[in-house]
Amino acid sequence: MNTAKARTAAGQADTIIVGGGIFGLFCAMTLAEAGKSVILLDKGRIWAEASAVNAGSLGVQNKLPALIPYTLWSWDIWNTLSDRLGADLGLRRNGGYKIAMTEDEAARLGRVVSEQIDYGLDAQRLSPAALRAQAPWIAPDCMAATWSPQDGYASPTRVGPALRRKVESLGVRIVEGAAVAAVENGPDIRVLTTAGDFHGTELAITAGAWSATIAAMLGVKIPISLDVNMVSVTEPARPTIECIVTHARGILTLKQVANGSCLIGGGWQGIGSIGDSRKDIDHDQLVHNLRLAMRVIPGLAPLNILRSWAGYEGVTPDSYPYLGRLPGHDNVYLAACARGGFTLGPLMGTLLGELILTDRPSRPITIFDPARFSNAAA
Amino acid sequence: MPQPKMRFIPGVVPNAGTLSFSFEGNEIPARPGETVASALMRAGVPVLRRTRIENQPRGYFCGMGICWECAVFVEGTGVVRSCGEPARPGMVVRLAEAEV
């Protein structure tokens, strides 16, 4: 143990992980619990980007049908995470409504939920009358809704520090302010950063939207586009909304968290890019986001918005995450960019750790192969 | 020791008379142009709400409209930040208790 500590202090480890978000921390936890030495690098503070600034939804109904099994497996990890980390994570699994406000949206909702149920989602269609009886706070002109007891949420603000304490207690060395300048892959991996050089047997890239930049340092082109998602929080209100609300077109997420505040998201786009590091609110877009929230839940109207913010989300061409070896590199791994990465992160990070440890992750990962667009990219 | 210089804000004249408003049924004196937060603080009311999870006291904190910790309910207006709300004669102010 002391030799491992001395090695990581000297910048050497079995695995170097680049990116201290939810994927990287779960990967670090999985590797460290199996006895591997790990150095986790982040360009800034860990838990500072998408993992920290998202709205905390742990939705199942809002996932692509093929991702439903993965979302449920990730929920298996979420279910016991408070005990495992010894912390209150603000975790609730009170179910959720997915709603449609127009006929087109209702048709789409019906189509998608059938496919999701085929993939294992537990959900039921509600008649407008049943919805009004169950959730009188939803607008009476809501055209259609589904209910799933499997939706929930957690507090990103609470999860990050708890994960950090856990991986540090397992001996993982976290190095912040370590922006990667170059990666050299010879017999071992050398990662040159603004906080020194680090050597490892394997490299795991879990850098979210920045993953393409790291992969490019190894000459590999990985397509990732950028969303700048906005989130708003209201003043605390009397607890009324006991579950999450999502939308047939994916343009609204809403939940009322433990302090009574409502968190409003839905992927409305702010202003910014990785190049200019901007993450600003686009008020013209925000107005539509908030109008939609009030249209779905009229009781929100008198509440003040306390704050709105924006955060980056890396997006793959098919909206499935990357998880696997970097093409052309046996000892470099990539896991990044799930749509709904906060929900899927525990599973994705764990599977990445299992892949590195045993080459046999406990769930199939073929559809996440980072090489799947390599022809298109070439 | 040098003393800080006083600067009077236009429209706020100390001792230019007083007004009063009610807060949770108590009469609170205020000066014309003074904010509700300022008058409440001078009246010895530091706690404007308690947090729902840990029952911690909250009140005037940043003083510049950012943190919302000093929110109160003003009859006829709704929930406002008391640090930016001028006290008006006869206004009825209560603890913020917005409802969904």
Side-chain angles (χ1 to χ4, degrees):
Chain A
M1 198 63 196
N2 283 334
T3 52
K5 203 167 183 181
R7 274 185 75 219
T8 56
Q12 299 204 0
D14 296 328
T15 310
I16 309 291
I17 302 176
V18 175
I22 194 164
F23 282 44
L25 284 161
F26 268 91
C27 178
M29 182 157 67
T30 306
L31 293 172
E33 282 176 342
K36 283 251 197 184
S37 63
V38 178
I39 296 175
L40 175 63
L41 306 175
D42 200 288
K43 63 173 177 49
R45 306 284 296 271
I46 68 160
W47 205 266
E49 298 286 349
S51 298
V53 305
N54 72 90
S57 294
L58 299 176
V60 183
Q61 290 191 93
N62 64 351
K63 298 298 183 292
L64 292 169
L67 295 180
I68 294 285
Y70 294 92
T71 309
L72 296 174
W73 290 324
S74 205
W75 253 112
D76 289 343
I77 300 172
W78 278 112
N79 278 333
T80 59
L81 194 59
S82 300
D83 286 345
R84 194 169 161 198
L85 302 183
D88 173 9
L89 306 176
L91 187 76
R92 299 285 183 278
R93 200 174 195 180
N94 299 336
Y97 296 102
K98 188 173 179 184
I99 57 93
M101 302 302 286
T102 67
E103 281 181 28
D104 283 355
E105 290 170 359
R108 178 173 173 158
L109 181 70
R111 245 187 351 262
V112 172
V113 77
S114 299
E115 218 183 321
Q116 289 174 317
I117 288 169
D118 289 344
Y119 275 97
L121 174 72
D122 177 2
Q124 62 186 89
R125 294 174 175 82
L126 297 178
S127 69
L131 179 67
R132 266 195 294 282
Q134 278 186 33
W137 39 270
I138 292 180
D141 61 338
C142 174
M143 289 284 294
T146 55
W147 160 261
S148 169
Q150 295 174 320
D151 285 352
Y153 57 89
S155 164
T157 315
R158 287 171 178 265
V159 174
L163 271 174
R164 179 189 195 124
R165 279 196 301 277
K166 177 68 174 182
V167 303
E168 285 185 328
S169 78
L170 290 167
V172 173
R173 181 182 168 202
I174 295 174
V175 184
E176 298 180 303
V180 178
V183 182
E184 296 168 1
N185 193 1
D188 68 346
I189 296 275
R190 282 165 48 84
V191 183
L192 315 180
T193 81
T194 50
D197 298 351
F198 299 89
H199 300 236
T201 310
E202 303 105 9
L203 171 66
I205 302 169
T206 54
W210 288 267
S211 299
T213 311
I214 309 293
M217 293 175 184
L218 288 160
V220 180
K221 190 170 165 34
I222 295 288
I224 294 174
S225 60
L226 188 74
D227 275 4
V228 185
N229 297 325
M230 296 190 290
V231 182
S232 300
V233 60
T234 72
E235 65 181 288
R238 185 167 53 83
T240 303
I241 303 169
E242 71 286 358
C243 60
I244 74 168
V245 178
T246 58
H247 189 282
R249 285 201 285 141
I251 53 178
L252 179 69
T253 68
L254 191 138
K255 68 193 68 71
Q256 187 176 21
V257 294
N259 76 334
S261 285
C262 295
L263 279 160
I264 302 169
W268 293 78
Q269 293 299 291
I271 300 165
S273 69
I274 289 218
D276 64 17
S277 296
R278 273 182 78 192
K279 295 170 207 162
D280 292 344
I281 294 300
D282 182 337
H283 291 91
D284 294 338
Q285 291 294 305
L286 189 69
V287 163
H288 294 295
N289 189 183
L290 300 179
R291 271 193 195 136
L292 176 66
M294 288 191 291
R295 169 148 158 61
V296 173
I297 301 173
L300 293 172
L303 297 182
N304 290 294
I305 297 291
L306 302 190
R307 276 172 282 282
S308 299
W309 63 92
Y312 294 152
E313 181 181 31
V315 182
T316 67
D318 57 7
S319 291
Y320 293 163
Y322 291 127
L323 173 56
R325 283 194 170 79
L326 198 68
H329 295 266
D330 281 347
N331 55 345
V332 181
Y333 301 81
L334 169 66
C337 301
R339 272 272 188 225
F342 190 62
T343 317
L344 288 162
L347 179 73
M348 292 293 145
T350 303
L351 292 179
L352 177 63
E354 292 171 356
L355 178 67
I356 294 170
L357 284 168
T358 68
D359 207 30
R360 291 169 183 274
S362 56
R363 308 294 180 189
I365 61 168
T366 318
I367 62 168
F368 306 133
D369 185 357
R372 66 189 184 275
F373 305 113
S374 53
N375 289 335
Chain B
M1 200 175 179
Q3 294 295 311
K5 283 184 180 164
M6 296 291 283
R7 183 172 69 87
F8 292 106
I9 299 168
V12 182
V13 183
N15 308 321
T18 58
L19 56 87
S20 72
F21 63 90
S22 94
F23 177 72
E24 289 289 309
N26 301 309
E27 192 174 321
I28 307 290
R31 292 176 177 141
E34 186 177 20
T35 65
V36 170
S38 167
L40 287 173
M41 211 171 351
R42 288 197 299 108
V45 184
V47 177
L48 298 177
R49 66 185 178 88
R50 289 192 164 265
T51 61
R52 284 176 194 274
I53 302 172
E54 293 180 4
N55 200 34
Q56 301 262 323
R58 289 289 185 275
Y60 181 95
F61 179 65
C62 79
M64 58 186 189
I66 301 294
C67 73
W68 280 87
E69 296 294 358
C70 67
V72 295
F73 181 86
V74 176
E75 220 162 72
T77 305
V79 175
V80 300
R81 290 162 280 195
S82 61
C83 69
E85 188 72 12
R88 295 183 303 274
M91 74 197 297
V92 178
V93 183
R94 295 199 302 270
L95 295 171
E97 187 58 30
E99 297 192 353
V100 172

